[in-house]
Structures are given as structure tokens and as C-alpha cells.
Amino acid sequence: MSDKASPQPSYSLVFSAAYSSLFAEPRLFPSNVLSPTSSGTPCNFITFLATVQRLDLELFSLSCQSFSPPVGEGGTSQISQGLVKPETSFAFKRVSEVDKLRLDDGEIYRRLISELLVLEQEGIRGHPFILELQGLCWDPAPRTQKDTLERHSSSRYSNQMKVYPALIFEMSLFGDLFRFARSPPGRSLDVTSRLKICLQIGASIATMHRNHVIHGDIKPQNVIMFKADDGSFVPKVADFGYSTLLSEPEVTISLPRSRPWFAPEILEYPNFSPAQASLADIFSYAVETVTGVRATQDYQDIALRKLSDMRSDNSSLVELSAYLISTDTNFDAETRNRLREFFHGTLSDDPHERQSSLPLLLNYLGLTNDLIPEQAGSFGFNPPQASDFKLSRSLRSFYECDFRLRPYIVDCLEDIVNSDPASNLTSELGMRYVIGFGGSSPKDHIPDQAKTNTCVADIAATLEEASAFIANAGRLLHTLVDTGFIEMMSSLADTYRKHNVVEEAIIATRHDFETWNELFGPEHPITVDLAGAMSLLTYSVGQWAESESFARHNLDALQKRFGVTELAITLRAKLSLAVALSEQAKWAEAEVLQKEVIDTCLNDLGQDNPLALSSMAKLTGTYCRQGRFEDAERLGVKVLNTVRQLFGPEHHLTLEQASVLAEIYHHQERLDEAMELQMEWVDTSKQIFGLEHSTTVIGLGGLATMFWDNDDWEEGALLQLDALNLAKRIYGPEHPGTQTIMVNFAFMYEDAELFEEAEKLQREVFDIRKRTLGPEHPSTLTLQASLGHVLGKLGRWEEGLEMELSALETMKIALGSEHPSTMLTMSNLACTRKDRGEDDLALELMEKCIFEALLQFGHDDHRTIRFVETLHEWRPNDSDERDSG
């Protein structure tokens, strides 16, 4: 009677590790914007936050750690990548694990601040051919022995986690220029298109130089290729880890050695003037152009091989460029002459013989005046100070982010104030004590009521002046968050689960919610945000009634505050409430809310809006869980066709809806259709994400179950074993997807009457769930009951019966007798009683199952039918009497 666990689609962002070479090369030198002594105070985490505030950068509550494993690593960064659509993704530039150990925090933050100042420089930000910084998120990490040594010996950490920033950039699956040139789209470009790309790269470098920025590491791996709306390809220069923002005309600059792209003088001299460094940039750009003007793979390989050989022999690159141009029959005479002039002015080994005006050189490639600004930016900038930091300015962002960020900010503030009691950050720390920011305040730091009232009034006034969102966010990422493509808190919940800190997160967030609710009221935006966070966190541990309560608080407050003026926010809150209701089998109310959202979206946002499509997808799931498979299929097919037409077969919404529809067919025992759709989903996922991505692996597990149910036991078992081995190797046994596959495999063993193997797998998952989710989580209880049933099959009746009874009683209290999981557990217990020869108790339990199923699902539901059929098997005379009647 056990139901098989089906793969659950994720409605948050789908993640990919398809490729990346950005930042993948080892780094020899840091950025050069700030020297260690160029600001009044050392660089630290608070200085970094002050810089973020000055630049109006947005802090997102995304977690880079819930994304794919790192796909690139260098001296100061490592990269994780998250896919949003097949052409576009995001890369998270994190402090590398090596540098967390190798460098002191002052140096780490000096480099990070330097890169921010370059990226946000006038003329750089928003440039069409420079990769835009979308925002920042956070990367928590355990403290190390190095942190203890750096800390004053008399101090003690109140928080055992450090939090590093992660920079968010847009990425593209077309890859960097080095990879793109070897791809079919790159090789198919004509001469005009290739020269245009080279010109656009040059225009971005000329713009940097005009705004007093030296890039320092120009090479094809640091240029990302994007596809424009008109079908053309556009380059964007990236990775400003070595860049210099000049504070005055004459400063000393160090440059890296990225073979074979760097200028020859870098081997001879350790430091350069700005004029000399700009000539080195121009040389690297010209070397890149040598390999970029042609896109056939043979040419690329020949060019690179000759380039490497000639750099090793100190041969002339001007001669190499002349040879490569002369052997290319695709260039007309005019283009060949222009290229010769360009390379003659850029590739001389002697920097004094190079042309110093990049705009003048770009005329040979067809430069137009609109590509480079006429007005140069001014020298100089005011370095950020830790004392510039204002806690109140970013409070809402801090409360939306990882809960471990808040106590870490407090630790850093206390460090500064303990070292300098006269610091004006003392007032920021005092604010922390009033509002309990970062945890409960020590008793000797709690201010009196008068000071508390004054501080609360000041905070309220400050927050009233601030906008709900900081305006200077990356346009693409902000749009995707607002339209619901990315669900940020879901990303955080995944990270908490991965780090095994969900309970800590709930305790900390509950404290913050209660504090803000008391001080600022239930309708304050931060109180509302915290209610939404609590709803999601309690949902993640199966506390669905409490999740519902917080979701109602969230929705009620939003409706009072915004009405329909913040439509998308209110609609998402309705959906969150509907999800919590659905888990408690309150399907009628959940369905009403989901339909309200769908109707509003269709009327006001259009049927193609991601929120409308997500709402319809969730309603499909609600129908499915009620056993209303015809309704679920009708809506599921509509949603799948829509997302497939709008976004293509490779989009994550298409893949998710295909998995839902395959599950519906599986429930209806339409196995051929289910398997066809599931195989299509798995093949597409494998093509886009690779075999070792969680979406692909979980899909393989679901496909294996379908093979098994279709009586292809050997294929099903082999495929499930492959999926399990992949999941364990890549994600470990505690990953939710791994656990789903293990449970499905256990059910296969149980069907095959291999009860010892079934027990082993179920007990392994049960122990993990007890530890990570808690003993009273519905998923833990369901598996406990199933394990007890298997123990009975092994003849360990008393042990198994005790587990089943305990699970059933806890479920009745936590979920109610009418919940589907409670009914399933009750029916399995009835089977155990029947196997023990306790026929009367078995019949009584099965009759209760039928009674609850009739009330909850009706006569035609597959669960009701199954319970009735089982009862007729046990009491065949009843069936005979009914037939004769």
C-alpha cells in the first residue's frame, strides 16, 4: 500500500554549471585603486558596506552557495553560475577559499572595494560593451584559526560565522570570446561582424582610459559574448580584478602576466606609470584582435600556436599579424591595409613605438564617434571610510539577507568601537542594542525607555525617507526578481538546509519579527518582510500551520499597506499562503487564492507574465494532490504549451511543467505518455545542464520509477542505481534529491520483497531526516511509518508496529486525521495488522481510511478507490453481497 515518492519540481531558480572561464586564471596581482594607506582607516567589512551604501548598490537575498559548485577559481575569486534562461545566466564572484586563508581581511576588502569603485565609475557603469555589476549577495563561511589570531586576544566572537561578499554579474552560455570563436555561431560570422566585435572591445577599453581606468588584464577569456535582440553578437569586457582607477595623473601601477596576451615590458619592469600601463592594455588588446579577426578553428589554433611560439622566442608580433592577414583570402585589399596599419601601431615590442591614442587606432577598424565619450572623467575620488557607514540606511536589505550577516555586522562594529570608543560608529552600535539587531542585546547594553523611544522614532523617520529598493541595481537581475523569475528567499532556505542551520535561522528570524512587531507595528515593511521569511522557513521544516499564520500576517499587512499599487508583491504573498494551505489539505481555500491570483494576472499582467504562469503551475499541483487528474492535466497541458512557445523547450519553467505533467500521467497509470515526457525532460536537462546536474539526476530517478512500474524491472533498477550513485557522488546523501531517489529505490526493493535492502536504504534516509528536518517533520514521519511497515515484513513485528503507531499518532496531532499522509500511514498500519492476523483491528483502520477519504476526496478519487478495493479483498463476502444486490 506504500505510495512511491515522486520527484518534486523546484519553482525557484534553476542552476547550472555549464561552463565558465571568467576569472578562472590564477591571479598574481590585486586591483590598484586603493593602496593600503590611501584611506584614513584600514579596509574592513564595515568599510566595504560604507562603499556599497555610497554607490547605492543593491543587496540581494540570493545565496550563491545554493547554486552550482564553483565553475572557475582564481587567486582572488571563485565563480558559481545560475541559469535563468538558455542564453543568460548569473555568475557569483566570491572570495576564493585559498585567499580566505592566505590573505588578511584588510587586503581582501581593499581588493573588493577597488573593484567596486572601478565598476561604478562614471562611464564604466552602463557601458554597452562592459559587463555590468548586477548587485551583491553574501557568502557565509566558518571562522578559521587565522581569524582567532587576527582578533584581539581579549575578545571573543559572539558569532562563529564570517560573511564575505559575492559580486553578481550577468553571464552568457555563448561563453567568453576564446570559447565563442571556436563555437559554430562564432565560426559562422563574416569578416564584417568579426571586425565589429573587435571594434566594440576596443571602444570599451578607450572609454576606460578616457575615464582614467586601466583594465590590466585584457584577453579573450575576459570578454563575454552575448546575443542581441537583432541576432547579432555583442562583446562585454569583464573581470576588473587587476584594474586601476587613477586618483592622480602619476601613480605607480603593477600589472599581471597572463600568457600569451601580456605586453613584453611587463617581464622587465615591476611598476608602470598610467601612460605606460595604457600602452600595455593596447598591446594586449591588439594581441587579442590578432586571434579574433578570423573565426575558423584552424585559424584560431594556428594563430595561438604561432603566438605562443613567437612570444617564447621574443619574435615580432607585427610580423605574425602581417603573415596571418596575408594568408586570409576573406579580407579585401582595403581591409587588409587597414589591419596592417592597426597592428603596426599596436604590436611593437618597444612601447615607445606604439600609438598611444586608442581612438585614433580604432579608426582603422571603422570607429564611429558615438562609441567613445568625448568628455573625459575627472581624476580623483574620495576613498570610503568605515565611519561613513549608517546601519539604518540598509536595515531592510540586511533583514532580507542571510540571518548570519546581522550578527557578523555587530561583531565588526564592536571591534571598531572597542578599538576606538570615540568612533562615531558608537551610535550605530547603540541603535543595534535598541532594536536587537543581530540577536538579543546584552543586559548591560539595553538603553532606558526614553532613549529607546527616541531611537525608534529616528529609525522610523530614516526608513520612511528610504525607498523600498535601492535604485542602483543591475537592470536585468532586478527585473527578474520583480517578475518572479527568481525567488530569493527560496535560495536562502536551500542554503540553510545545506548548512544545517534551519533551526538557528528560525530562532533568529522569529526574534527579529517579534522585536519589530513590538517596536514598529505589524504593518511596518521590515515586519512584513520578516513575516514572509518566517512563513517560508517554517514551511521548509514542515510547520505548515505556523507557516500559514505568518503567510496570513504577510498578506494582510501588504493588502492594508499597498492595496493594488504593489500588485506583484501582494499576489506572491497570496501564492505563499496557498502553498501553506495546500500542505495541510486545505485545498478549497488554496484553490480560491490561486484562482484569484490567476484571474488578476490575466486581467492586469497578461497570460505570458511569469507570475501568471507560476500561479497556473501551482494550481496544477493542487489539482493533482486532490486526485483531480483530469483538471490537472487540462491546465498542465495549457501551461506547458505556453511556456514552451514563449521560452522554448530548454527554459527552466518548461522543464518544471513537463515534470509535473509527467507525474500526472504517472498517477493516471498512462505510463507510455509519462515516460515519453519524462525522457524528453531528462534529455533536454542533460543537454543544457549536463548529466551531473540535480535537475537531470532527479529526472533520471523519476524515469527509473516509471520503468519499474511499467514492469521493466531490470531497466528501472539499473537506471535508479545510476541516479543514486550520481546523486551521492555529486551532492552527498543529505541532498533532498538524493533522499528522494533512495526512498524510491527502497520501494523497488520492497516490491521485489527484498526487505533487508529496503530497510537499509529507508533507515539511512530516516536518520538523515531526523537530524536535518527533525523527528516531527511530515517527511520524517511518513518514512518512519514506511520503515515500520518494512520491519513487519521482516518479522520484527513489535519494533515495526511501535514505529508505525508512533508516526500515526504524531501525524494526527500535527496534520489531522484528514490529511493524505495520515490516511496513507493509517492504511499501511492496517496492512501491518492484517499481516499479524489482527483482522478486526485491520478492518477497523481501513474503514476509518475509507470514511476520511470519502469526506476529503469523494468516491472517484484514486485513493478512495484503492482503500475500498483493499477492504473488499479482505472481506470478499461484502463484495459478493453488493454484487448480488
Side-chain angles (χ1 to χ4, degrees):
M1 295 294 296
S2 299
D3 274 359
K4 293 179 174 61
S6 54
Q8 296 298 313
S10 167
Y11 289 99
S12 58
L13 181 64
V14 178
F15 303 116
S16 168
Y19 86 96
S20 179
S21 59
L22 180 65
F23 316 121
E25 294 296 322
R27 304 195 156 192
L28 306 179
F29 300 91
S31 304
N32 296 287
V33 179
L34 296 177
S35 69
T37 58
S38 65
S39 59
T41 58
C43 293
N44 52 43
F45 187 64
I46 300 301
T47 315
F48 178 85
L49 292 178
T51 306
V52 170
Q53 290 182 337
R54 176 187 295 181
L55 298 175
D56 278 338
L57 295 173
E58 182 150 9
L59 306 177
F60 288 96
S61 59
L62 292 169
S63 171
C64 56
Q65 293 195 11
S66 64
F67 281 36
S68 61
V71 293
E73 188 160 346
T76 59
S77 66
Q78 70 183 30
I79 306 302
S80 295
Q81 192 172 12
L83 182 72
V84 177
K85 53 185 177 180
E87 298 83 9
T88 305
S89 58
F90 291 103
F92 294 74
K93 185 175 182 181
R94 304 157 57 187
V95 179
S96 70
E97 296 302 320
V98 171
D99 278 336
K100 288 176 184 177
L101 297 172
R102 183 173 64 91
L103 299 176
D104 64 75
D105 282 359
E107 178 61 17
I108 288 174
Y109 286 112
R110 186 181 73 81
R111 297 184 184 190
L112 287 169
I113 292 169
S114 294
E115 186 156 1
L116 290 186
L117 290 171
V118 170
L119 288 167
E120 297 306 304
Q121 174 74 353
E122 182 181 358
I124 303 300
R125 181 173 185 83
H127 192 282
F129 310 129
I130 295 177
L131 194 66
E132 183 183 30
L133 176 66
Q134 297 292 320
L136 298 101
C137 61
W138 306 104
D139 181 21
R143 295 186 187 271
T144 64
Q145 185 177 4
K146 182 199 78 168
D147 300 318
T148 305
L149 294 174
E150 287 181 1
R151 185 84 171 205
H152 296 300
S153 58
S154 60
S155 301
R156 297 188 64 182
Y157 289 113
S158 61
N159 165 36
Q160 293 306 310
M161 296 296 292
K162 294 188 71 170
V163 180
Y164 289 98
L167 280 58
I168 308 174
F169 293 92
E170 181 184 3
M171 289 292 285
S172 166
L173 289 186
F174 292 107
D176 59 58
L177 182 59
F178 189 85
R179 170 181 167 174
F180 175 77
R182 289 157 176 74
S183 69
R187 294 200 302 270
S188 67
L189 293 180
D190 58 22
V191 170
T192 302
S193 298
R194 294 195 296 272
L195 285 174
K196 182 179 179 182
I197 289 171
C198 293
L199 173 62
Q200 290 167 335
I201 296 170
S204 72
I205 299 169
T207 300
M208 295 178 211
H209 290 179
R210 183 153 288 183
N211 286 280
H212 312 298
V213 172
I214 304 297
H215 185 279
D217 195 22
I218 298 295
K219 57 185 178 182
Q221 291 89 341
N222 284 341
V223 177
I224 310 303
M225 298 302 300
F226 291 84
K227 193 171 187 178
D229 292 339
D230 62 3
S232 64
F233 288 96
V234 176
K236 295 191 179 185
V237 177
D239 193 1
F240 289 78
Y242 292 119
S243 298
T244 301
L245 173 59
L246 304 175
S247 57
E248 54 189 50
E250 295 299 327
V251 294
T252 300
I253 301 169
S254 59
L255 296 172
R257 301 171 184 175
S258 294
R259 294 183 182 273
W261 316 101
F262 65 92
E265 60 267 25
I266 293 177
L267 290 174
E268 301 180 27
Y269 304 101
N271 298 304
F272 302 88
S273 70
Q276 293 168 334
S278 66
L279 287 173
D281 261 0
I282 291 172
F283 182 93
S284 297
Y285 164 58
V287 176
E288 179 181 74
T289 304
V290 167
T291 62
V293 291
R294 281 289 307 275
T296 64
Q297 187 162 348
D298 288 343
Y299 174 91
Q300 291 285 334
D301 293 340
I302 291 170
L304 275 175
R305 187 164 57 250
K306 287 184 174 292
L307 175 62
S308 298
D309 292 344
M310 296 184 78
R311 296 307 303 273
S312 300
D313 298 339
N314 295 319
S315 302
S316 170
L317 293 187
V318 175
E319 295 177 7
L320 172 63
S321 66
Y323 165 78
L324 293 172
I325 293 168
S326 65
T327 57
D328 189 335
T329 59
N330 290 304
F331 295 132
D332 58 32
E334 181 184 355
T335 302
R336 190 175 287 115
N337 289 332
R338 287 193 286 113
L339 286 173
R340 285 198 186 103
E341 292 294 331
F342 172 78
F343 290 124
H344 182 76
T346 55
L347 285 178
S348 173
D349 286 348
D350 185 351
H352 296 95
E353 296 180 4
R354 295 179 208 145
Q355 169 60 253
S356 60
S357 172
L358 185 53
L360 182 62
L361 287 164
L362 292 176
N363 285 328
Y364 293 116
L365 301 183
L367 176 68
T368 56
N369 292 331
D370 60 331
L371 289 180
I372 303 174
E374 295 183 6
Q375 184 66 37
S378 59
F379 280 105
F381 58 91
N382 186 19
Q385 306 281 328
S387 58
D388 296 332
F389 172 69
K390 300 298 178 186
L391 181 62
S392 59
R393 184 176 177 197
S394 303
L395 265 178
R396 187 172 185 185
S397 294
F398 293 153
Y399 277 109
E400 288 178 334
C401 293
D402 192 305
F403 79 98
R404 291 166 289 188
L405 171 66
R406 300 190 282 279
Y408 184 62
I409 292 174
V410 173
D411 273 352
C412 294
L413 286 172
E414 288 179 341
D415 264 356
I416 295 173
V417 171
N418 287 340
S419 299
D420 179 15
S423 167
N424 63 357
L425 291 176
T426 303
S427 61
E428 304 304 311
L429 200 55
M431 181 185 299
R432 165 268 189 275
Y433 296 135
V434 170
I435 61 176
F437 181 84
S440 301
S441 302
K443 291 183 179 179
D444 57 343
H445 286 83
I446 298 177
D448 59 37
Q449 191 61 48
K451 289 183 178 179
T452 296
N453 292 341
T454 301
C455 187
V456 167
D458 290 343
I459 293 173
T462 303
L463 292 174
E464 191 66 30
E465 293 174 2
S467 61
F469 292 100
I470 299 175
N472 206 16
R475 291 160 290 183
L476 177 60
L477 182 53
H478 208 156
T479 299
L480 291 167
V481 171
D482 283 350
T483 55
F485 266 106
I486 299 176
E487 298 177 15
M488 294 196 291
M489 279 305 300
S490 295
S491 168
L492 276 183
D494 291 341
T495 299
Y496 295 156
R497 189 180 298 109
K498 177 181 177 182
H499 291 180
N500 198 25
V501 294
V502 177
E503 289 299 329
E504 292 179 46
I506 290 175
I507 292 170
T509 309
R510 189 189 303 277
H511 164 267
D512 293 333
F513 170 79
E514 292 173 349
T515 301
W516 277 85
N517 194 43
E518 178 182 350
L519 293 177
F520 298 95
E523 296 177 23
H524 191 281
I526 292 180
T527 310
V528 175
D529 291 341
L530 290 167
M534 279 300 298
S535 177
L536 186 141
L537 291 173
T538 50
Y539 177 90
S540 71
V541 295
Q543 297 171 6
W544 294 320
E546 191 167 15
S547 177
E548 176 193 343
S549 175
F550 281 110
R552 288 191 187 280
H553 180 117
N554 192 28
L555 178 59
D556 291 345
L558 285 172
Q559 287 178 328
K560 290 178 182 177
R561 182 174 177 85
F562 297 120
V564 296
T565 58
E566 294 285 345
L567 185 62
I569 295 176
T570 308
L571 294 178
R572 283 197 288 269
K574 279 189 176 183
L575 284 181
S576 297
L577 176 57
V579 169
L581 291 167
S582 181
E583 290 290 358
Q584 300 172 82
K586 298 179 179 179
W587 289 311
E589 189 177 356
E591 185 177 330
V592 168
L593 287 171
Q594 288 166 339
K595 287 182 175 179
E596 285 179 2
V597 173
I598 291 170
D599 291 342
T600 305
C601 286
L602 293 178
N603 292 332
D604 298 328
L605 303 177
Q607 65 177 2
D608 297 344
N609 181 271
L611 187 57
L613 295 170
S614 177
S615 305
M616 288 188 278
K618 286 178 169 60
L619 181 58
T620 302
T622 300
Y623 286 152
C624 186
R625 298 181 74 174
Q626 295 178 74
R628 294 165 57 183
F629 296 122
E630 291 184 3
D631 291 335
E633 179 188 356
R634 192 179 304 112
L635 185 58
V637 168
K638 178 181 178 181
V639 175
L640 178 59
N641 289 339
T642 302
V643 296
R644 184 178 280 159
Q645 181 179 357
L646 285 174
F647 308 122
E650 299 170 346
H651 195 277
H652 74 88
L653 288 177
T654 308
L655 294 175
E656 289 166 3
Q657 197 58 27
S659 71
V660 171
L661 196 56
E663 182 183 347
I664 292 169
Y665 292 151
H666 192 184
H667 278 300
Q668 293 175 299
E669 299 183 357
R670 295 159 58 182
L671 286 171
D672 289 342
E673 294 168 89
M675 292 170 68
E676 181 182 357
L677 197 55
Q678 189 82 359
M679 280 191 270
E680 178 187 333
W681 166 38
V682 170
D683 289 343
T684 305
S685 180
K686 192 186 302 182
Q687 178 184 349
I688 297 301
F689 305 124
L691 178 62
E692 299 189 348
H693 189 269
S694 60
T695 303
T696 309
V697 174
I698 292 172
L700 283 172
L703 183 60
T705 302
M706 293 176 186
F707 273 111
W708 183 273
D709 289 347
N710 202 35
D711 294 337
D712 192 344
W713 298 311
E714 183 176 358
E715 181 69 20
L718 289 174
L719 195 58
Q720 198 74 275
L721 182 61
D722 288 343
L724 180 57
N725 289 335
L726 274 171
K728 280 190 169 183
R729 177 169 60 83
I730 301 166
Y731 303 105
E734 298 195 2
H735 189 277
T738 307
Q739 293 177 39
T740 297
I741 295 170
M742 291 171 71
V743 170
N744 283 342
F745 214 160
F747 286 135
M748 287 182 176
Y749 282 137
E750 188 177 348
D751 282 349
E753 298 187 355
L754 299 172
F755 298 118
E756 290 183 359
E757 288 82 355
E759 181 207 352
K760 182 180 178 181
L761 277 178
Q762 287 192 346
R763 192 174 292 280
E764 183 178 352
V765 179
F766 176 59
D767 291 340
I768 292 170
R769 288 183 177 175
K770 270 201 308 183
R771 185 177 70 256
T772 59
L773 301 179
E776 296 187 0
H777 190 283
S779 297
T780 309
L781 292 171
T782 301
L783 194 56
Q784 176 184 328
S786 181
L787 177 58
H789 186 70
V790 169
L791 292 176
K793 294 291 186 180
L794 287 168
R796 291 153 62 181
W797 299 108
E798 297 305 322
E799 182 184 359
L801 183 61
E802 182 180 349
M803 292 187 76
E804 287 191 85
L805 286 170
S806 173
L808 179 59
E809 293 307 312
T810 306
M811 281 183 170
K812 286 179 179 179
I813 296 171
L815 304 177
S817 299
E818 72 282 359
H819 194 277
S821 296
T822 308
M823 288 186 232
L824 176 62
T825 300
M826 192 183 301
S827 68
N828 284 337
L829 178 59
C831 293
T832 299
R833 294 287 195 191
K834 181 68 175 175
D835 291 341
R836 287 167 58 95
E838 300 171 349
D839 291 359
D840 291 342
L841 291 174
L843 292 170
E844 181 182 347
L845 282 170
M846 192 56 70
E847 287 172 348
K848 288 182 179 178
C849 289
I850 294 171
F851 176 76
E852 295 289 355
L854 285 170
L855 288 178
Q856 195 68 16
F857 311 128
H859 289 82
D860 298 329
D861 183 79
H862 70 290
R863 285 158 288 202
T864 309
I865 293 171
R866 190 168 72 249
F867 294 154
V868 171
E869 288 176 349
T870 301
L871 185 63
H872 287 171
E873 289 175 9
W874 293 351
R875 292 200 310 206
N877 292 336
D878 285 1
S879 178
D880 294 342
E881 290 173 5
R882 292 186 185 187
D883 292 341
S884 62

